[in-house]
Amino acid sequence: MAVLNALKKFKLAAFAPVLFNLAMIASTLMPMAMPSFSNATLAWGVVVGGFLQMAVLIPALNKMGFMPKFTLNFWSPTVGVVFRKMVPGLLSLGILQLTILINTRFASSLQEGANSWIYFADRILELPLALFAVSLGSALLPTLSQQWARGEKDLMAKTSNQYLRMIFFVSIPC
């Protein structure tokens, strides 16, 4: 999906998660329709959903000549650069997980259902971010990368400002 987004081909990258979600919904409903199925259907839903995503994306990548080439050379200088650039993101995700752990621990000492309410509130909080900011950010990243590579820093700042205003315009009311 990231390669297709970078090439400004958004349709398939946006459609692929729909297949995953449909597989998860089907695997959730299947035990109710056929009680002989076990709880393992959810696990199979993840596998089938992932396969469906791959089945949609790989032909497009192959057609565009961007099929990934697998190698066992994990310690090249390029891989080291990628790992070093991942550290800030991993730290921020660690802080997020720590916050979830603290919230869950705190809620478990409250009345029954508090964990569910905190989870639901978090889903509502994340909805505008997931719908608008992430979508616009995915569409904006290739444009900003091209502007940076061409040295068009003023245009890049103007584009960033325009999209941030758009994100705020949609997200703040949410």
Side-chain angles (χ1 to χ4, degrees), residues 52-146:
L52 290 172
Q53 283 183 306
M54 245 182 19
V56 166
L57 297 174
I58 285 181
L61 288 172
N62 194 29
K63 181 180 173 186
M64 299 174 81
F66 281 93
M67 259 315 271
K69 293 173 180 59
F70 297 101
T71 179
L72 295 177
N73 184 9
F74 294 113
W75 303 114
S76 71
T78 309
V79 173
V81 169
V82 169
F83 280 127
R84 279 193 301 281
K85 290 186 178 196
M86 284 174 55
V87 169
L90 291 173
L91 290 175
S92 65
L93 286 174
I95 291 170
L96 175 67
Q97 293 301 315
L98 183 62
T99 303
I100 291 170
L101 181 68
I102 291 169
N103 285 343
T104 303
R105 174 65 180 104
F106 173 72
S108 66
S109 66
L110 299 174
Q111 67 185 13
E112 187 176 320
N115 275 327
S116 297
W117 286 110
I118 286 179
Y119 175 78
F120 297 147
D122 188 50
R123 295 298 95 209
I124 292 170
L125 176 75
E126 298 274 337
L127 183 64
L129 178 67
L131 286 178
F132 304 115
V134 173
S135 300
L136 285 172
S138 295
L140 178 61
L141 184 61
T143 301
L144 291 177
S145 298
Q146 286 176 345

Side-chain angles (χ1 to χ4, degrees), residues 128-168:
L129 178 67
L131 286 178
F132 304 115
V134 173
S135 300
L136 285 172
S138 295
L140 178 61
L141 184 61
T143 301
L144 291 177
S145 298
Q146 286 176 345
Q147 291 170 347
W148 177 267
R150 290 188 298 237
E152 299 170 339
K153 294 183 176 129
D154 291 336
L155 180 59
M156 183 179 160
K158 183 180 175 184
T159 305
S160 297
N161 188 4
Q162 177 186 356
Y163 273 85
L164 277 174
R165 287 173 187 248
M166 189 183 319
I167 290 169
F168 290 146

